[in-house]
Amino acid sequence: MRHPSSRYRIAPVLALVLVAGCPGSSATGVVGRPGQLASGPGYRALSDADPTPNGELAPYFASAIEGGTRAQLRLAVDRGLTEAAAIVAQRVGNDRGHRAPTARAVQSISWNVGVLDPQPALALVTANADVPPSAVADAVARDAAGQGYNRVGVGVSRASDGTRVVAVLLAQRRVTFEGDVPRRAVTGARVQLRGNLLANHNNPELAITDPSGRNERFGLGEGPSFVAQFPTRTRGTWQVEILASGAGGTTVVANFPVYVDVEPPSAIEETVTPSNEQPAQVSERLFARINEVRRTRGRPALQLMPPLSQVAAAHSEDMARSRYFAHNNQAGRTPGDRIAAAGIQSGIVLENIGRGSSSEEIHHGLMESPGHRANIENDRVTHVGIGTVVDPGSSGGFIVTQNFIEVAAALDTAAAPQRIIDRVNQTRQRRGVSQLVARPQLMDIAARTAQSFFSAGAPSQQTVVQNANREASRGGLMFRRIEVLATIVTNLEDATGLEPLLNYEISGIGIGVAQGSRAGVAPNSIFVVYILGYPR
């Protein structure tokens, strides 16, 4: 039960996907020299050691830390989050309306004290009297349960009008780093990160956005230990993320900026402005913002696909109802599973999930995450679906799912086979393998076979391959063996990379390409048949 005359909210934030901290001193001077590893003062290394609660912190979270029946949370007190929460509480107390800072401001405060976890969630309690510990524990337990938070910091302040402010920051610690993480560097220095994934996460990846907005993503092995390194080629702010795979799918485990020959900004002074947006308006405005970003980056605009928006909305509703925040739902179904179950097929399936108090805040949070930003700017995707619901764990906030897929454009199917052969032969030449030669008889069989896939009878892919193999084998006396392959793609480029096409033993080839729609495949799909001839 809420304490009388108190006000409580979880400030909505981006958490990804489609997102480790001890306090870090602000860097003074520039670290690293061109060609050398950046080093020196920066974000402090993360530690599993928990500080002993003291002062006013202990009574507010004693039950939560002990995992009592009221809170049922296993939260370790974190120095960095505690320092950030104290700053937040003081800011709210000094604000005449006791307004909460925006998610962007909370993120900035967290970075400034050295927290590298994805965007912390803020639970804010204000009251005109002392707030009993039970009120804080109940509030946080209700809205944080099931969200995966395992670190907490609490700040307490009293405003001049006597209002008591309790700020609670919650974060998900899924990685620890060895040594300091550079906060500043000079142009040309190499930033190196050594870390270890926690909580059964694996397959770490590094995602970065450079000052020009260019995105890059690199695999870092199987994990849980990893070493990541990248050169700071240009001056400006580099946004850095570590992603990893867990039970909820791919997720951000650390997100922070590295300032290259520029001064780190001071904490952002923003407060939450109540949003009058409805969920449908949030979706509409996010769609417009996505296409504005794509326009500035020279990408074609996306089309809104209503059936895909229905899939996205269903996932947002499920997250809100079941109180979780992840790409994979609680039954383990991935974004690709959900989209395929709706009868939508695509060679590319990308998903962003976000939270925020407005469309502007949600979009800014997604763009400040290299992994989410890369999905928005992806040059292969053509369609998007967006679903927004009210976040039950916030005051006026929203939960959003964005799904991106590729639908093939109209293709010149007559010219496509030669395009594939030319691209395959370029690769074969680089590997020192002899060129493939198009055989008219095989080309004719492959073309008729590909077209049959979209015919009224709609034979299965397996049947198509078997039929082509029988016909080509009867007429293929010039070859000692015939092999038939088939694939469905949404981009012709994907049809050029099959490893069997690079086999040094084959010399003759027939390729047929057809485009169309049928049950179980994406609209306007491209069907490609390959007939490979092994010479005698």
Side-chain angles (χ1 to χ4, degrees):
M1 178 180 296
R2 299 185 189 179
H3 185 253
S5 302
S6 68
R7 188 175 49 171
Y8 162 74
R9 71 191 302 270
I10 286 271
V13 296
L14 166 76
L16 173 90
V17 110
L18 82 192
V19 212
C22 295
S25 57
S26 297
T28 55
V30 180
V31 294
R33 293 195 297 274
Q36 293 187 340
L37 288 177
S39 61
Y43 303 105
R44 289 187 186 172
L46 308 178
S47 170
D48 284 331
D50 301 321
T52 301
N54 54 63
E56 294 185 286
L57 175 62
Y60 282 99
F61 260 86
S63 61
I65 294 168
E66 294 169 1
T69 56
R70 176 183 292 113
Q72 296 183 0
L73 295 175
R74 300 288 181 176
L75 297 171
V77 179
D78 182 85
R79 290 187 181 91
L81 290 172
T82 297
E83 185 175 341
I87 295 171
V88 170
Q90 191 64 49
R91 279 187 48 171
V92 173
N94 292 340
D95 183 80
R96 181 171 297 180
H98 305 314
R99 295 169 298 174
T102 64
R104 182 167 176 252
V106 171
Q107 180 71 88
S108 176
I109 291 169
S110 300
W111 283 335
N112 282 353
V113 301
V115 173
L116 306 185
D117 300 305
Q119 174 74 62
L122 170 64
L124 187 64
V125 179
T126 58
N128 56 14
D130 286 348
V131 184
S134 60
V136 181
D138 279 342
V140 175
R142 182 180 65 252
D143 288 301
Q147 303 295 315
Y149 300 118
N150 56 12
R151 290 295 190 275
V152 64
V154 179
V156 182
S157 72
R158 189 180 294 277
S160 58
D161 62 3
T163 298
R164 184 101 162 159
V165 178
V166 180
V168 182
L169 287 179
L170 297 154
Q172 299 166 328
R173 180 68 46 78
R174 292 166 173 160
V175 64
T176 60
F177 290 98
E178 300 175 10
D180 286 350
V181 175
R183 191 178 186 216
R184 301 178 67 181
V186 298
T187 303
R190 289 176 292 123
V191 173
Q192 186 178 85
L193 309 170
R194 291 180 176 271
N196 296 280
L197 299 175
L198 307 175
N200 296 317
H201 283 75
N202 52 38
N203 299 318
E205 296 179 87
L206 170 70
I208 55 176
T209 300
D210 70 16
S212 73
R214 180 170 176 260
N215 296 303
E216 295 182 275
R217 190 160 169 171
F218 311 95
L220 302 175
E222 296 181 0
S225 299
F226 63 86
V227 177
Q229 186 171 294
F230 64 92
T232 55
R233 297 180 297 268
T234 55
R235 179 178 180 272
T237 301
W238 291 67
Q239 196 68 33
V240 182
E241 270 187 345
I242 301 295
L243 302 101
S245 298
T250 301
T251 187
V252 176
V253 297
N255 181 321
F256 55 92
V258 175
Y259 303 98
V260 179
D261 285 332
V262 293
E263 288 296 319
S266 58
I268 296 171
E269 298 294 327
E270 290 180 348
T271 54
V272 171
T273 301
S275 172
N276 294 320
E277 293 174 305
Q278 297 300 311
Q281 291 176 306
V282 172
S283 294
E284 291 171 3
R285 291 169 183 174
L286 287 173
F287 176 60
R289 288 175 180 272
I290 286 170
N291 276 336
E292 176 60 22
V293 168
R294 292 180 65 85
R295 185 189 66 78
T296 60
R297 299 293 296 169
R299 306 283 194 269
L302 300 183
Q303 296 182 48
L304 192 65
M305 179 183 284
L308 195 59
S309 291
Q310 292 172 8
V311 175
H315 186 55
S316 293
E317 290 166 359
D318 187 50
M319 288 190 289
R321 180 176 56 254
S322 301
R323 310 308 304 276
Y324 71 96
F325 194 72
H327 293 291
N328 295 354
N329 66 20
Q330 293 182 313
R333 300 184 75 185
T334 67
D337 294 335
R338 296 190 295 271
I339 290 171
I344 303 171
Q345 300 291 328
S346 174
I348 294 179
V349 172
L350 305 175
E351 182 175 272
N352 286 344
I353 55 176
R355 303 166 98 167
S357 60
S358 65
S359 57
E360 179 181 6
E361 185 170 81
I362 293 167
H363 180 73
H364 184 275
L366 292 170
M367 290 298 292
E368 206 163 47
S369 161
H372 293 87
R373 179 173 180 155
N375 290 345
I376 289 171
E377 297 179 358
N378 188 286
D379 58 4
R380 286 276 304 269
V381 299
T382 59
H383 290 68
V384 64
I386 304 175
T388 305
V389 299
V390 173
D391 185 351
S394 71
S395 176
F398 305 97
I399 296 175
V400 174
T401 301
Q402 300 173 342
N403 288 130
F404 304 87
I405 65 169
E406 179 182 44
V407 175
L411 178 71
D412 183 350
T413 56
Q418 191 59 51
R419 285 175 56 188
I420 295 174
I421 292 173
D422 291 344
R423 181 57 61 89
V424 171
N425 277 335
Q426 290 174 8
T427 305
R428 288 175 68 93
Q429 184 176 19
R430 288 195 298 269
R431 293 195 180 187
V433 181
S434 62
Q435 301 287 280
L436 295 178
V437 177
R439 303 293 187 183
Q441 185 180 19
L442 299 183
M443 294 289 285
D444 180 60
I445 296 171
R448 285 187 282 105
T449 302
Q451 291 166 5
S452 72
F453 186 70
F454 295 111
S455 66
S460 68
Q461 184 171 334
Q462 181 179 4
T463 299
V464 166
V465 169
Q466 291 171 344
N467 291 343
N469 189 64
R470 281 195 295 269
E471 185 176 357
S473 297
R474 286 197 300 268
L477 297 179
M478 68 187 76
F479 300 104
R480 64 178 172 83
R481 182 162 71 92
I482 291 290
E483 183 179 2
V484 180
L485 307 172
T487 187
I488 303 170
V489 296
T490 51
N491 188 297
L492 195 65
E493 193 68 24
D494 293 340
T496 67
L498 276 67
E499 194 64 28
L501 300 177
L502 305 179
N503 190 325
Y504 72 92
E505 293 185 84
I506 62 175
S507 61
I509 190 169
I511 294 182
V513 178
Q515 186 172 32
S517 300
R518 56 174 280 177
V521 302
N524 232 25
S525 286
I526 301 167
F527 185 67
V528 184
V529 175
Y530 315 80
I531 304 178
L532 313 180
Y534 292 74
R536 293 186 178 278

